[in-house]
Amino acid sequence: GAGVSQSPSNKVTEKGKDVELRCDPISGHTALYWYRQSLGQGLEFLIYFQGNSAPDKSGLPSDRFSAERTGGSVSTLTIQRTQQEDSAVYLCASTWDTKNIQYFGAGTRLSVL
Amino acid sequence: AQSVTQLDSQVPVFEEAPVELRCNYSSSVSVYLFWYVQYPNQGLQLLLKYLSGSTLVKGINGFEAEFNKSQTSFHLRKPSVHISDTAEYFCAVSLIKAAGNKLTFGGGTRVLVKP
């Protein structure tokens, strides 16, 4: 079946603009995660959804970052007033089991000029 | 809080030679352990996982890892590498007890297989 799908694959934006990144998880996966991969910080957790709720938002770096999930499926990560330090690859993962085997999408590469 | 240390940031290795990637973790509670591989411009692919049971875990593409609780290590090995194994490898942990746990990753080890 289809894997985790992320769009766009690449996004170039100007500093100060808002961006939306989309994640379409594997069908039936109830849990969804966002991670960020950057040169300076490595792979960092951002937020976790169980269904449409986000019990763990501890990794969101500032209030410019927000995320939502609708219908227990698609999730959108929004970054407002982007800054150059937001440049990174944003990865989405999904899973259905409590043993936490997460399946990752190919990521969205965000470049803030 | 848990943490993961990958001791080598880069490992050059010749084709058909063995390779070992080192991973140590720190956690006050029990964890699950994972190795992921990332090929250029792709997402992360699960290589293998340790959840419980036998401490020697076999994964895809001929990789295996051994969980050592006393040394809090989970080193990854392959007896003979191919050019196609050139990639970045990430060790990760998650806490057993909590539901839906986030993965905590090490800094990654870049493997370059030379002909």
Side-chain angles (χ1 to χ4, degrees):
Chain A
V4 178
S5 177
Q6 292 188 247
S7 61
S9 54
N10 284 283
K11 176 73 176 177
V12 180
T13 190
E14 295 179 351
K15 178 180 171 182
K17 300 283 190 185
D18 298 351
V19 295
E20 285 189 352
L21 312 179
R22 177 188 168 106
C23 172
D24 207 334
I26 293 172
S27 179
H29 281 193
T30 57
L32 185 149
Y33 305 76
W34 285 97
Y35 295 88
R36 179 169 71 173
Q37 185 174 24
S38 58
L39 283 176
Q41 303 299 321
L43 268 160
E44 309 172 277
F45 165 80
L46 296 178
I47 186 169
Y48 150 64
F49 287 93
Q50 182 62 44
N52 293 334
S53 301
D56 189 350
K57 307 178 184 180
S58 62
L60 293 178
S62 75
D63 59 8
R64 296 186 296 105
F65 288 72
S66 63
E68 65 174 10
R69 190 179 184 195
T70 55
S73 180
V74 172
S75 176
T76 303
L77 177 69
T78 301
I79 309 173
Q80 296 179 308
R81 305 180 303 280
T82 52
Q83 304 294 312
Q84 289 184 331
E85 61 262 29
D86 300 334
S87 295
V89 176
Y90 290 82
L91 293 166
C92 176
S94 68
T95 183
W96 72 84
D97 69 33
T98 57
K99 291 186 174 136
N100 211 25
I101 301 169
Q102 296 180 25
Y103 296 86
F104 283 80
T108 293
R109 183 176 297 277
L110 176 66
S111 300
V112 182
L113 305 179
Chain B
Q2 62 274 25
S3 66
V4 179
T5 302
Q6 291 182 242
L7 297 163
D8 305 296
S9 59
Q10 293 189 70
V11 173
V13 58
F14 286 105
E15 193 174 17
E16 298 183 6
V19 70
E20 178 179 80
L21 308 184
R22 295 178 294 170
C23 172
N24 287 89
Y25 69 93
S26 173
S27 176
S28 56
V29 297
S30 296
V31 296
Y32 295 135
L33 295 145
F34 306 85
W35 276 98
Y36 281 86
V37 60
Q38 186 176 36
Y39 299 103
N41 299 315
Q42 293 187 28
L44 299 172
Q45 180 182 358
L46 181 68
L47 274 178
L48 48 77
K49 59 189 183 292
Y50 175 77
L51 305 179
S52 64
S54 172
T55 57
L56 183 62
V57 180
K58 294 191 183 296
I60 63 171
N61 301 341
F63 284 93
E64 63 180 32
E66 185 152 21
F67 170 55
N68 187 318
K69 188 173 182 179
S70 63
Q71 297 187 2
T72 60
S73 67
F74 191 54
H75 300 334
L76 180 71
R77 302 183 184 95
K78 185 169 182 177
S80 176
V81 297
H82 302 131
I83 296 289
S84 59
D85 292 322
T86 294
E88 189 156 20
Y89 294 78
F90 292 92
C91 182
V93 303
S94 69
L95 300 181
I96 288 177
K97 294 287 186 183
N101 239 311
K102 61 191 176 189
L103 290 169
T104 299
F105 289 91
T109 298
R110 198 173 295 274
V111 173
L112 176 60
V113 182
K114 303 177 181 180

